[in-house]
Amino acid sequence: MNTPCETLLGKSLPGSKKTGFWKITEKIERRLDGTGGTFSVCYLAEHDDGTKAFVKATDIGLLTRFQSEDALSKMEKAINEQNFERKILDICRGNNLDRIVHAIDYGQIETVFNGVKDIIFYIMFERANGDVRAQMSREQRASTSWCLCAMHNLSVAIQQLHRESIAHNDIKPSNFLIFDQYLQKLADLGRATSDITSGPWDKIPYSGDFDYAAPEFWYRSEKPSSEYKKVPFPVRRASDLFHLGSMGFFLMTGEKLSPLMRTYLRPEHNSLNWRGSFEDVLPFLRDAFGKSMSLFDQELPRDRKENLLQESIAFRTAVMQLCEVDPHRRGHPLNAAGNQDPYALDRFISIFDSNRKTLRMKELMA
């Protein structure tokens, strides 16, 4: 053990919203294929009233492990991050965002670890049955209609956040949780930003897991607004759309899209070597994306003549539009053509919903 929040197993923790205590019953070890857990330790817990929860615990040392500031600055940053995440979670629950995993309770305790005082922060979430990383295994991979159902639920989740002026910024398989066969929810708002309130990640162009970052962030083309000292909200929304499309790619292939795209770039076009503008590298990014999509195409359902089903074409088209490498052209083309909100998700929600229903019927009749 090298951090205070790893010592919670068997303890009873007070909450701020529910009277009584949460008994920490099980520690969840980080998976070898996991991408989360860098700044937190996870547990299962049960409340005195029988409510079960998933617990995300962290501490000042873990939250600031890569920072070099003095102790007081580290404490201030850690507290600000926790308060902001709780505020965003309260907004989600208060507005009944039903595709977002809700926080049931949260709290903090003071502790002494290795002779040093520290604070452990924890949030109790509604408990899911797992996450979509099972799609990494071809043997356990769900049907394409299930993938379309999951994409429908994820699209609704992102739309709900955006309507509350919140961007998630860290959408990835470990944060997309399964509650039952037809219900999946988006979790972990620890890297979220808001267009209507200040937060700890406002000035950071990309606050999520870089393995899932959209191409514009590889080349540092997006910077905070000099007027507002924060990254513009449309930039955040475009990033969430890329994450949505990337999730579709992952659900079908079990692979991460962004790292795969980078393998198709010539060394001189790699973000570490490129000295030109982002606009000038777009043709090479588009070529890398097209080559990556060949893997996606291999997994799509086909008819007896090996032609793509109509539902497969719709799914592929949606992923192409969501993962468009130019963020200014990302999204459904009819939105831009009609001078509407370019990053609106209504059309994609409808596409995923209608095609999952028709494909499910075909799967049952096959």
Side-chain angles (χ1 to χ4, degrees):
M1 295 182 183
N2 55 11
T3 180
C5 64
E6 293 186 15
T7 65
L8 294 179
L9 186 61
K11 293 185 177 180
S12 293
L13 306 178
S16 300
K17 291 181 171 291
K18 290 173 69 70
T19 302
F21 289 85
W22 293 92
K23 176 80 170 183
I24 303 298
T25 58
E26 182 181 340
K27 182 180 178 182
I28 302 176
E29 299 298 336
R30 185 180 181 188
R31 289 172 45 156
L32 294 177
D33 59 0
T35 55
T38 304
F39 301 100
S40 61
V41 178
C42 299
Y43 296 91
L44 299 180
E46 185 170 345
H47 193 266
D48 292 341
D49 66 5
T51 303
K52 295 182 179 180
F54 171 89
V55 182
K56 184 175 76 169
T58 189
D59 53 63
I60 293 174
L62 196 55
L63 283 171
T64 59
R65 61 190 302 189
F66 302 121
Q67 299 173 8
S68 58
E69 291 89 345
D70 60 83
L72 189 60
S73 296
K74 287 185 176 183
M75 182 177 294
E76 182 181 15
K77 284 188 175 183
I79 292 173
N80 287 340
E81 288 178 21
Q82 278 294 297
N83 285 338
F84 182 76
E85 183 175 2
R86 292 177 184 184
K87 182 177 181 179
I88 294 296
L89 287 166
D90 283 344
I91 291 173
C92 293
R93 186 168 190 181
N95 289 282
N96 194 31
L97 307 192
D98 60 358
R99 294 304 191 280
I100 304 298
V101 176
H102 287 164
I104 304 171
D105 206 350
Y106 45 69
Q108 61 279 326
I109 57 171
E110 290 188 9
T111 187
V112 176
F113 185 74
N114 290 339
V116 179
K117 281 189 176 182
D118 207 324
I119 300 175
I120 300 176
F121 307 97
Y122 45 87
I123 304 176
M124 286 73 176
F125 294 94
E126 53 183 330
R127 191 186 295 187
N129 293 323
D131 60 54
V132 299
R133 284 176 290 182
Q135 292 293 102
M136 296 175 70
S137 167
R138 181 175 293 275
E139 291 72 26
Q140 299 181 49
R141 200 169 295 169
S143 67
T144 304
S145 67
W146 184 91
C147 294
L148 285 165
C149 177
M151 289 295 287
H152 172 260
N153 284 322
L154 182 57
S155 301
V156 172
I158 297 170
Q159 181 192 59
Q160 290 178 340
L161 288 176
H162 287 183
R163 286 182 174 174
E164 298 299 328
S165 299
I166 298 168
H168 190 285
N169 303 315
D170 197 25
I171 301 167
K172 56 187 179 182
S174 61
N175 290 339
F176 192 31
L177 307 187
I178 299 170
F179 284 78
D180 60 41
Q181 183 179 358
Y182 302 107
L183 179 61
Q184 305 81 30
K185 297 186 182 184
L186 182 57
D188 198 347
L189 290 160
R191 291 293 182 270
T193 52
S194 171
D195 195 41
I196 57 177
T197 186
S198 297
W201 314 113
D202 287 347
K203 299 179 183 179
I204 300 176
Y206 185 73
S207 59
D209 187 329
F210 199 74
D211 268 357
Y212 300 90
E216 59 266 28
F217 299 108
W218 309 352
Y219 296 86
R220 297 181 174 86
S221 68
E222 301 294 353
K223 298 178 176 60
S225 165
S226 59
E227 181 180 358
Y228 299 106
K229 304 299 182 184
K230 63 193 307 183
V231 175
F233 191 54
V235 173
R236 304 289 196 189
R237 294 183 68 199
S239 174
D240 278 357
L241 261 64
F242 183 87
H243 285 159
L244 173 59
S246 295
M247 187 68 76
F249 186 90
F250 174 85
L251 290 174
M252 287 302 298
T253 67
E255 298 288 340
K256 304 174 188 177
L257 175 59
S258 291
L260 181 60
M261 285 177 60
R262 287 194 283 270
T263 66
Y264 288 115
L265 290 173
R266 293 173 60 89
E268 61 266 32
H269 302 141
N270 186 285
S271 59
L272 296 176
N273 302 322
W274 183 253
R275 294 296 178 265
S277 68
F278 181 65
E279 288 71 22
D280 288 340
V281 82
L282 283 173
F284 306 108
L285 290 172
R286 195 163 282 117
D287 179 66
F289 177 45
K291 291 176 178 176
S292 300
M293 283 298 290
S294 63
L295 179 63
F296 184 85
D297 294 344
Q298 293 172 19
E299 301 296 331
L300 289 172
R302 299 172 182 267
D303 62 21
R304 293 178 181 177
K305 296 182 179 180
E306 287 301 304
N307 296 315
L308 288 175
L309 298 177
Q310 288 301 312
E311 294 82 4
S312 300
I313 295 172
F315 194 0
R316 186 185 195 279
T317 301
V319 169
M320 294 284 288
Q321 292 167 348
L322 289 164
C323 292
E324 162 61 48
V325 295
D326 183 350
H328 302 293
R329 297 175 59 184
R330 196 171 295 156
H332 200 286
L334 290 181
N335 290 342
N339 198 28
Q340 302 174 43
D341 177 359
Y343 303 126
L345 289 171
D346 304 75
R347 297 181 191 276
F348 292 108
I349 290 171
S350 177
I351 289 168
F352 293 136
D353 189 37
S354 61
N355 283 281
R356 62 138 176 138
K357 292 175 180 176
T358 57
L359 185 57
R360 180 58 177 161
M361 290 297 297
K362 291 180 180 180
E363 290 172 350
L364 291 173
M365 294 172 63

